[in-house]
Amino acid sequence: NPNQKPRKAVPIYIEALDDIFATTTDNPSPFIIPLMKMDIQGFECWALHGMHRRVLQHVQVIETEAAPPFLEAQGCSVTEMQRRLATLGNFTITM
């Protein structure tokens, strides 16, 4: 659209949840996450990857949606998301 103003790029900072919630000498105790809700438009596989080392050990329930076009745009699929969840614990996807 020739009348539309160009958008300004905004830098963002990305950090894995495993790194944010890392155990330190100041915070050695484990934590519990009773419910994790993810609605991140196809980036679910990336999010699962960023929390597979530590955070998911403490999550009791994950609620997420699986939208194939959004997952595929990020190089993932519903099948791959199910596989990742199955290897991480007793999690399922509701579609």
Side-chain angles (χ1 to χ4, degrees), residues 42 44-46 68 70-78 80-81 84:
E44 288 81 4
C45 289
W46 288 106
F70 292 137
L71 289 168
E72 290 165 9
Q74 298 306 319
C76 196
S77 66
V78 173
E80 174 62 15
M81 193 168 150
R84 289 182 186 201

Side-chain angles (χ1 to χ4, degrees), residues 17-88:
L17 286 174
D18 275 346
D19 296 334
I20 293 170
F21 290 105
T23 300
T24 64
T25 54
D26 296 335
N27 183 22
S29 63
F31 54 89
I32 303 246
I33 301 172
L35 171 66
M36 178 179 284
K37 169 117 173 86
M38 293 194 307
D39 186 3
I40 47 181
Q41 306 302 314
F43 287 89
E44 288 81 4
C45 289
W46 288 106
L48 291 170
H49 178 74
M51 59 182 147
H52 74 277
R53 294 185 322 263
R54 174 161 171 74
V55 172
L56 286 178
Q57 296 171 11
H58 305 285
V59 176
Q60 295 175 337
V61 175
I62 294 177
E63 183 179 311
T64 188
E65 59 184 21
F70 292 137
L71 289 168
E72 290 165 9
Q74 298 306 319
C76 196
S77 66
V78 173
T79 302
E80 174 62 15
M81 193 168 150
Q82 288 172 324
R83 186 195 66 75
R84 289 182 186 201
L85 286 169
T87 62
L88 297 168

